[in-house]
Amino acid sequence: MSMDAVFRALADPTRRQLLDSLHARNGQTLNALCEHMDMTRQAVTKHLAILEEANLVTTMRRGREKEHYLNPVPINEIAERWIGKFERHRLDALSDLKQRLEREEP
Amino acid sequence: MSMDAVFRALADPTRRQLLDSLHARNGQTLNALCEHMDMTRQAVTKHLAILEEANLVTTMRRGREKEHYLNPVPINEIAERWIGKFERHRLDALSDLKQRLEREEP
DNA sequence: TTGACATGCAACCAAATGGTTGCATATTAA
DNA sequence: TTAATATGCAACCATTTGGTTGCATGTCAA
């Protein structure tokens, strides 16, 4: 599980959409994931393979179906690379504040 | 500052190395950054332009030199996208534990 | 002012990337 | 067993990407 693979995997908008889809509903099969996508099944398969190689997605064979699960660990490691622990808490607080302000404004 | 630009920027190992370099010493000029890199100055310029467009790097003109600064905000937003707040604390604790264990082992 | 230094712009090229189509394999259900 | 369903593999193609070289511009210092 090289970090390089993780970053490369996250670079593509389709793959991020797949992660979003799994974040919303975990354990989806290939066909289920394909339904939201506007491309062939084979293209989606390739993207999932890249996500798997990056260890961002874990799979489980169940009969003739393949279930896909999101793995958040590598994403957390990204944040830890360039953000110090203290700075990170500060940024989280800032982002919370921003969200609260956005919610309160008309 | 689109998220897409951020992910695309982080996809390349050279650009991540540039971020590392700025994380180690902030405010470096183009030439300073070039010294660690094994490619032409023009190539580095292109990479920095992509990092700037992603708002991962901020620049300040000082005379004929251009200083480059790391901006951690977009990186924090990545982590917030796929990791819930509670889960994130758990992952941080886990990563801390792992580091401590690695340090203690021979 | 003039030469040296720091950066900017543009054309060009090889390789990687994201997509397609076509066919193969494996499992379930009738 | 057999037809339908779910996934896998491979060849092929257009576009993007990361790099180069060559030249232009702008600023500092002698």
Side-chain angles (χ1 to χ4, degrees), chain B residues 43-61:
Chain B
V44 176
T45 302
K46 280 195 194 176
H47 284 300
L48 287 171
I50 291 173
L51 288 169
E52 261 193 86
E53 198 182 313
N55 202 27
L56 283 162
V57 162
T58 302
T59 61
M60 249 193 70
R61 208 60 213 232

Side-chain angles (χ1 to χ4, degrees), chain A residues 10-91:
Chain A
L10 290 174
D12 184 84
T14 301
R15 290 193 286 270
R16 294 197 299 275
Q17 198 184 332
L18 285 168
L19 291 183
D20 285 337
S21 184
L22 288 178
H23 190 224
R25 187 154 46 95
N26 219 0
Q28 290 182 73
T29 72
L30 173 58
N31 262 346
L33 287 166
C34 282
E35 291 196 352
H36 316 297
M37 302 295 159
D38 194 25
M39 65 186 66
T40 61
R41 176 181 54 82
Q42 285 81 352
V44 176
T45 302
K46 280 195 193 176
H47 284 300
L48 286 172
I50 291 173
L51 288 170
E52 261 194 85
E53 198 183 312
N55 202 28
L56 283 161
V57 163
T58 301
T59 62
M60 250 193 69
R61 211 56 215 234
R62 202 181 282 293
R64 68 179 158 182
E65 298 186 343
K66 194 175 180 182
E67 298 174 344
H68 297 78
Y69 296 90
L70 173 62
N71 177 21
V73 175
I75 296 165
N76 199 51
E77 287 172 357
I78 293 177
E80 290 181 339
R81 178 167 180 174
W82 290 296
I83 311 184
K85 196 128 291 181
F86 282 118
E87 190 168 20
R88 196 154 157 212
H89 286 316
R90 221 193 57 217
L91 289 172

Side-chain angles (χ1 to χ4, degrees), chain B residues 62-79:
Chain B
R62 200 179 284 292
R64 66 180 159 180
E65 298 186 345
K66 193 175 180 183
E67 298 173 346
H68 297 77
Y69 296 90
L70 173 61
N71 177 21
V73 175
I75 295 166
N76 199 51
E77 288 172 356
I78 293 178

Side-chain angles (χ1 to χ4, degrees), chain B residues 8 12 14-15 39-40 42-43 46-47 50 63-64:
Chain B
R8 215 181 68 74
D12 185 82
T14 302
R15 289 194 285 269
M39 65 185 66
T40 60
Q42 286 81 353
K46 280 195 194 176
H47 284 300
I50 291 173
R64 66 180 159 180

